Amino acid sequence: MQKTKLSNGVRVVTETIPYVRSVTAGFWLKVGSRNEDEHELGISHMIEHMMFKGTTRRTARQIAETIDATGGQLNAFTDKEHTCYYGKVPDQHMALLTDVLSDMLLNSLFDADEIEKEKGVVLEEIRMYEDSPDELAHEALAENLLQPHPLGRPVLGTPASVQSFRSEDLLSYIARNYVPSNLVISVVGNIKHDEVVACIAQHFSAMVGPPPAKPNTLIPVGCGTSVKTKDTEQMHICLGVPGLSRKDEDKYALHVLDTALGGGMSSRLFQSLREEKGLVYSTYSYHVCYEDVGTVAVYAGTSPGNAAKVIDLIKGECEKIATEGLRQEELNRAKEQLKGSLLLGLENLGVRMNRLAKAELHDERLLTPDELMGKVEAVGPEDIRRVGRRLFGQTPFSVA
């Protein structure tokens, strides 16, 4: 990994992989739904959409056609802490990809008529989520666990907030948050670091803006219950507790615990709820480590008549880990599963690009694969019991 910081604060991180013939680049902004005020819900996501709607140099169609013509891909996403604009092209088109992404970030038009049209697109996206009951359960659980922290808000916003956006609202938000100190450009593939830096400097050296104010750090409530009635065949259940932050060293033990609890077909939840009891088709656990807080959750889809039994079984498996930990063979299997997953993931340039960017955005040292596997291997039985007690020992479960 190589890193260069431009004089204005924009950071460029790269990893050269000479045996591939492609380049994956991500332009990451440390801004997401957690940075929004109450009247701005969904504005980070709306801006991400509008970046594809035309610049002073290219129409929306030309943006799409330019990258399509290389055989490459161009896309973006917004989450609770980041916005990322990314693309993948054959290596000879690296300069073109950085030019298109830079053009979008620096020269987008935010035309009022296009904003009105895109509101309709985002409203359809919200409706699509409304038709996905499992997604609603995950979102409701996060709100229960994290409220009143801004991380508990939905990334898409609400129909009312989306319909209220005007061009000046988007431009004001960009001026506050799309600033050099918030921007990390991560590029992985058959590239030379100095060439990438030269391309980026050509576009971003003149970018200015003071560091944004730090977002609110309200203390999450950590519990709550929500029920939504919809005409579905299954009941979609999410149970959860507050988790760990990115800064917490127990996060490696949490990775192992989560894998053993609900990380695959050999996990406790899958074996208990599906294989032994036949109560579910799909069940799994997951955790999210944000910069200052986190969540741990379990999902299961089951018939309404089995819901109470499924909830009791999930709680029982979690509490058993808090009191008894994991059997040695479970611990070993989970660690090997995690290490193997890490190695397989590193064959994906997008995964490598994400790792570089997130470490830099959060001012963390990028661990090598061997260092990461060492952290996983070092997790012992007492670490699992300690983290199990932290998570499930005394904390009431939130339910959605």
Side-chain angles (χ1 to χ4, degrees), residues 2-23:
Q2 291 180 276
K3 171 184 167 181
T4 295
K5 190 174 185 178
L6 304 186
S7 58
N8 60 354
V10 174
R11 289 162 286 173
V12 183
V13 288
T14 69
E15 182 181 3
T16 301
I17 305 175
Y19 51 82
V20 299
R21 290 302 311 274
S22 66
V23 174

Side-chain angles (χ1 to χ4, degrees), residues 293-305:
V293 296
T295 60
V296 176
V298 173
Y299 166 82
T302 190
S303 300

Side-chain angles (χ1 to χ4, degrees), residues 177-283:
N177 294 289
Y178 280 51
V179 295
S181 61
N182 257 5
L183 177 60
V184 168
I185 296 167
S186 173
V187 185
V188 173
N190 189 18
I191 43 113
K192 294 180 180 175
H193 179 77
D194 292 344
E195 290 180 3
V196 173
V197 172
C199 282
I200 300 305
Q202 177 184 345
H203 298 290
F204 285 97
S205 289
M207 188 186 197
V208 295
K214 289 193 174 182
N216 295 329
T217 53
L218 297 171
I219 304 301
V221 172
C223 64
T225 299
S226 59
V227 177
K228 186 160 189 171
T229 303
K230 291 180 81 74
D231 184 17
T232 59
E233 295 298 318
Q234 280 192 313
M235 186 174 287
H236 299 267
I237 303 164
C238 280
L239 280 82
V241 293
L244 310 179
S245 75
R246 293 182 66 95
K247 313 287 185 191
D248 197 315
E249 278 299 302
D250 271 346
K251 65 185 178 183
Y252 300 104
L254 172 57
H255 283 304
V256 177
L257 184 158
D258 186 18
T259 300
L261 177 64
M265 293 174 65
S266 63
S267 68
R268 284 193 174 191
L269 290 172
F270 193 95
Q271 287 295 312
S272 172
L273 296 179
R274 177 167 161 163
E275 297 300 290
E276 294 173 16
K277 307 286 195 308
L279 295 172
V280 303
Y281 175 75
S282 176
T283 184

